[in-house]
């Protein structure tokens, strides 16, 4: 069965995009040459030009190479909220041919330890307020731990620390007494060291983001400069982005949505990014008006929070040309409100960590709501029977498989996962997404269900088995089943159905268990709801019937 021809393919967009044969740092170098005095980043009132950003990045690369002996292929953890230091660290590491391992700022010490040990990272960048989670992973405290840790304070790149719009954690300057193996980010920049040139290539491994799996431990996704740039270049053409685009960066840059759209995209274009350290709906509206933001990519929950603010209608948002995102379907009522009140169409797309974000998208002139869109340039997506892998006719529900230049090269050191996730067909390698979808008569893809067990919390994937494995570390847990509960703001929230050990019955409250979960896993994974039950239904083979429990919860709603 050949790929579907799309009636509403965007005019002027080629069927197959050309992947740039350069590396990501090439674009920072080019922007610094073309637009040296142009603002690259606006952060908490401070403006950083492309010349300055390039100088900072070069100085950091010099320190990493000369003082930390960082070289080609070495993996480096990067754990921070959005800030200029994240950008500088990211591009300095890539300049040396090394690999960035982005770490969710909400991760606990045990989760960080897994990323470190699985990736083999010996160096890390960390924001000051997150150091307490990462410090136990240092070489001085555990075998095979981190040798070098670079610590940054957000306040070092803030223009006015008395600004009332600043969150408290941003106002703090460098305050910690650093122990052996730690270096202050600001001191590394002041050293002014220069790096010896390193030969890098488009197919070099450069970013290792982790995505949780159905059986517990997160898996690393091998991305190269070419896979990331295929996503970026095609997205820019599809969405008419250019050097004069001003982009609001709020989605976390440790997540692929924020990394690609809020950092790499503006640098590739030579555009300007208005960066927020943490979500604040009122401040977002203020910044969009003040800086004439034209492009914003965000999950639906963030968009909903922003445009339902009472002040939204009083702000001049006429510069906002493109509002896009994915990770969860945009509710029909919110999409209608955006169109009616602000004349903005939310451009929904579909992608994942394994595809460097941009994979499917709705044509700008012919969007369908709550739709995955159509496969973009060079992408071949099909619907197959998940059991036989045979292609299904138009309209039937099956597993979405996809092939394209932005698809990762594989899971890091996990051959079993690779064998389960990839297949060959018609001379191309396809990735099995685990999502159940259908194609309508005009070639648009619609999500129907999930083949894999997963909960979507504001665009973050939560794998129930991973949460359950952590819960079993609690001494009171006899059995547990994690399910997703529909939520009007977040899409879904996590709920735990718990059978307590007999000796703990009546001695542990749901609130206490929720608090324990927040200490032992990233906050978005921790259940918002806990319900104690006498028993969990099981199959003839003794397995907990999670599908029945999930269906029962949906029926309750």
């Amino acid at each position: 069965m050949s790929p579907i021809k799309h009636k509403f393919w965007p005019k002027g967009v080629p069927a197959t995009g050309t992947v740039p044969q350069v590396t990501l740092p090439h674009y920072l170098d080019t922007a610094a040459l073309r637009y040296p005095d142009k603002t690259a980043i606006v952060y908490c009132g401070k403006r950083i030009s492309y010349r300055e950003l390039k100088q900072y990045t070069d100085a950091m690369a010099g320190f990493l190479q000369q003082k930390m002996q960082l070289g080609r292929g070495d993996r480096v953890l990067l754990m921070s909220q959005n800030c200029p230091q994240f950008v500088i660290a990211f591009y300095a590491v890539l300049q040396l041919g090394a690999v960035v391992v982005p770490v969710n700022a909400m991760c606990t010490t045990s989760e960080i330890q897994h990323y470190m040990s699985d990736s083999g990272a010996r160096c890390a960048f960390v924001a000051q307020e997150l150091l307490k989670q990462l410090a136990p992973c240092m070489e001085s405290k555990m075998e095979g731990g981190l040798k070098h840790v670079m610590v940054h304070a957000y306040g070092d790149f803030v223009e006015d620390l008395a600004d009332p719009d600043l969150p408290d954690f941003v106002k703090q300057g460098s305050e910690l007494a650093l122990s052996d193996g730690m270096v202050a980010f600001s001191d590394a920049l002041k050293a002014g060291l220069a790096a010896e040139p390193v030969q890098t290539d488009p197919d070099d491994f450069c970013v290792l983001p982790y995505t949780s799996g159905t059986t517990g431990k997160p898996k690393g996704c091998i991305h190269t400069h070419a896979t990331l740039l295929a996503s970026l270049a095609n997205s820019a053409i599809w969405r008419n982005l250019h050097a004069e685009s001003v982009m609001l960066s709020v989605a976390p840059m440790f997540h692929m949505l924020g990394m690609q759209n809020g950092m790499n995209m503006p640098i590739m274009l030579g555009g300007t990014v208005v960066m927020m350290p943490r979500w604040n709906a009122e401040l977002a509206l203020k910044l969009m008006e003040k800086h004439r933001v034209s492009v914003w990519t965000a999950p639906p929950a963030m968009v909903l929070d922003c445009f339902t603010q009472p002040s939204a209608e009083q702000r001049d948002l006429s510069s906002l040309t493109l509002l896009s995102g994915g990770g969860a379907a945009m509710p029909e009522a919110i999409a209608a409100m955006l169109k009616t009140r602000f004349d903005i169409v939310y451009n929904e797309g579909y992608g994942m960590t394994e595809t460097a974000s941009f994979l499917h998208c709705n044509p700008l002139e012919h969007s369908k709501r709550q739709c995955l869109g159509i496969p973009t340039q060079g992408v071949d997506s099909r619907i197959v029977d998940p059991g036989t892998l045979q292609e299904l006719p138009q309209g039937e529900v099956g597993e979405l498989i996809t092939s394209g230049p932005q698809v990762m090269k594989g899971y890091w050191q996990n051959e079993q996962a690779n064998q389960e996730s990839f297949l060959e067909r018609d001379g191309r390698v396809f990735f099995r997404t685990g999502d159940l979808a259908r194609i309508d008569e005009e070639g648009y893809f619609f999500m129907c269900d999930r083949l894999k067990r997963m909960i979507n919390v504001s665009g973050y994937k939560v794998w129930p088995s991973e949460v359950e494995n952590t819960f079993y570390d609690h001494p009171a847990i006899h059995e547990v089943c994690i399910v997703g509960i529909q939520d009007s703001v977040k899409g879904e929230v996590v709920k735990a159905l718990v059978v307590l050990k007999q000796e703990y019955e009546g001695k542990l409250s749901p609130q206490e268990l929720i608090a324990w979960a927040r200490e032992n896993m990233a906050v978005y994974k921790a259940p918002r709801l806990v319900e104690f039950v006498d028993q969990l239904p099981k199959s003839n083979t003794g397995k907990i019937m999670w599908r029945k429990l999930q269906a029962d919860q949906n029926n309750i709603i």
Side-chain angles (χ1 to χ4, degrees):
M1 197 177 290
S2 61
I4 290 188
K5 302 260 192 275
H6 298 285
K7 177 181 178 182
F8 296 113
W9 185 264
K11 290 182 179 180
V13 175
T16 302
T18 303
V19 181
Q21 293 300 297
V22 292
T23 63
L24 282 163
H26 163 86
Y27 287 99
L28 177 56
D29 296 346
T30 301
L33 287 171
R34 287 180 172 175
Y35 318 113
D37 299 319
K38 184 178 182 181
T39 299
I41 299 172
V42 179
Y43 179 76
C44 298
K46 183 178 178 64
R47 290 178 176 269
I48 301 171
S49 70
Y50 271 106
R51 178 191 285 113
E52 292 171 322
L53 183 58
K54 170 65 175 165
Q55 290 170 346
Y56 290 139
T57 302
D58 286 348
M60 182 55 67
F63 193 93
L64 292 173
Q65 186 188 72
Q66 304 301 326
K67 295 297 184 180
M68 295 186 175
Q69 288 74 54
L70 192 72
R72 279 181 64 93
D74 292 340
R75 276 78 65 199
V76 182
L77 303 185
L78 176 49
M79 185 176 182
S80 173
Q81 305 283 2
N82 292 0
C83 61
Q85 292 98 321
F86 191 108
V87 183
I88 294 164
F90 185 95
Y91 278 85
V93 170
L94 266 56
Q95 182 177 318
L96 299 176
V99 179
V100 172
V101 183
V103 179
N104 193 313
M106 294 179 277
C107 281
T108 62
T109 298
S110 62
E111 291 170 326
I112 299 168
Q113 185 176 340
H114 170 70
Y115 298 140
M116 178 195 69
S117 58
D118 188 72
S119 69
R122 302 306 304 279
C123 298
F125 285 87
V126 64
Q128 182 174 259
E129 90 282 8
L130 303 174
L131 182 58
K132 60 183 179 297
Q133 288 99 283
L134 184 133
C137 298
M138 292 190 66
E139 188 177 50
S140 59
K141 299 180 181 179
M142 63 176 295
E143 185 177 350
L146 298 165
K147 293 179 65 176
H148 304 287
V149 174
M150 187 83 70
V151 184
H152 61 268
Y154 305 114
D156 290 345
F157 271 87
V158 172
E159 191 78 14
D160 178 13
L161 289 174
D163 185 343
D165 287 331
L166 295 183
D168 289 339
F169 73 92
V170 172
K171 295 179 182 179
Q172 298 174 354
S174 301
E175 297 177 345
L176 293 176
L178 303 181
S179 60
D180 289 345
M182 297 182 186
V183 179
F185 194 103
S186 56
D187 289 344
L189 293 182
K190 291 173 186 174
L193 299 177
E196 294 293 328
V198 176
Q199 177 62 44
T200 57
D201 299 300
D203 292 324
D204 284 350
F205 173 27
C206 67
V207 179
L208 185 66
Y210 275 76
T211 181
S212 296
T214 56
T215 56
K217 293 294 185 182
K219 306 186 293 292
C221 302
I222 300 172
H223 275 293
T224 66
H225 296 275
T227 59
L228 295 177
L229 284 169
S231 169
L232 291 167
N234 288 333
S235 176
I237 293 171
W238 189 278
R239 289 167 165 160
N240 300 321
L241 305 178
H242 47 73
E244 298 306 319
S245 295
V246 179
M247 304 179 179
L248 184 67
S249 175
V250 186
M253 294 189 300
F254 52 72
H255 188 274
M256 194 59 78
L257 181 74
M259 178 190 297
Q260 288 285 77
N261 294 282
M263 177 178 69
N264 291 333
M265 180 66 81
I267 289 176
M268 186 190 81
L269 299 171
T272 297
V273 58
V274 179
M275 189 179 293
M276 293 179 64
R278 183 174 289 176
W279 175 240
N280 179 321
E282 286 285 358
L283 181 58
L285 289 164
K286 177 180 177 180
L287 293 174
M288 282 192 278
E289 180 181 55
K290 180 178 180 179
H291 299 288
R292 305 297 293 162
V293 168
S294 58
V295 179
W296 182 27
T297 302
M302 208 172 270
V303 174
L304 169 63
D305 188 28
C306 181
F307 287 96
T308 53
Q309 295 295 317
S311 63
E313 291 195 64
Q314 278 71 56
R315 295 287 183 184
D316 178 4
L317 304 178
S318 59
S319 61
L320 190 59
T321 305
L322 177 67
L323 184 57
S324 65
M330 172 61 75
E332 176 70 22
I334 304 305
M337 179 270 290
L338 288 173
K339 178 62 179 172
T340 302
R341 286 171 52 185
F342 302 99
D343 196 27
I344 296 173
V345 175
Y346 184 74
N347 183 231
E348 290 190 61
Y350 169 71
M352 55 191 70
T353 304
E354 289 89 340
T355 68
S357 187
F358 186 76
L359 182 72
H360 284 206
C361 198
N362 276 271
L364 294 177
E365 300 299 324
H366 295 281
S367 289
K368 295 189 179 184
R369 294 176 181 173
Q370 298 180 309
C371 173
L372 304 181
I374 63 177
T376 56
Q377 304 99 301
V379 175
D380 183 354
S381 292
R382 310 184 189 185
I383 300 297
V384 302
D385 183 299
T388 66
L389 298 181
Q390 294 303 304
E391 289 185 49
L392 297 173
Q394 176 262 316
E396 290 197 19
V397 175
E399 183 178 4
L400 193 160
I401 63 172
T402 191
S403 176
Q406 62 267 67
V407 176
M408 66 171 182
K409 297 303 179 181
Y411 290 113
W412 171 255
Q413 296 183 340
N414 196 329
E415 190 54 37
Q416 180 180 346
N418 288 331
Q419 290 178 3
E420 294 172 352
S421 301
F422 290 94
L423 61 96
E424 290 189 18
R425 177 154 299 166
D426 299 335
R428 300 185 64 155
V429 176
F430 284 81
F431 174 69
R432 299 185 63 176
T433 67
D435 289 326
L436 295 176
R438 63 176 176 84
I439 309 174
D440 73 6
E441 65 282 357
E442 293 177 327
Y444 286 71
F445 284 64
F446 288 82
M447 181 80 79
C448 297
D449 203 347
R450 296 169 188 139
L451 182 63
K452 297 176 181 177
R453 189 182 171 203
M454 187 266 286
I455 301 168
N456 193 329
V457 180
S458 296
Y460 289 109
K461 291 182 179 179
V462 177
W463 301 93
S465 58
E466 181 186 0
V467 179
E468 288 166 358
N469 288 342
T470 302
F471 257 80
Y472 280 115
D473 290 337
H474 193 290
I477 303 299
H478 173 60
E479 288 181 329
V480 61
C481 182
I482 298 298
V483 295
I485 302 296
Q486 295 173 7
D487 182 84
S488 60
V489 175
K490 296 179 178 295
E492 291 180 288
V493 294
V494 180
K495 179 177 180 178
L497 299 168
V498 174
V499 178
L500 293 174
K501 293 178 181 176
Q502 188 173 1
E503 61 269 29
Y504 283 90
E505 290 180 2
K507 298 179 181 178
L508 182 69
S509 71
Q511 290 71 30
E512 288 173 319
L513 201 50
I514 291 171
W516 177 89
R518 285 172 170 260
E519 292 178 358
N520 287 274
M521 64 188 79
V523 173
Y524 69 92
K525 299 177 186 176
R528 293 293 183 94
L529 303 166
V530 168
E531 179 183 346
F532 294 137
V533 296
D534 294 332
Q535 60 182 6
L536 296 173
K538 296 184 179 64
S539 67
N540 293 335
T541 57
K543 293 182 179 181
I544 294 173
M545 299 172 68
W546 65 267
R547 288 185 185 276
K548 180 181 185 305
L549 290 168
Q550 180 65 71
D552 289 346
Q553 292 298 316
N554 288 336
N555 290 334
I556 290 173
I557 295 171

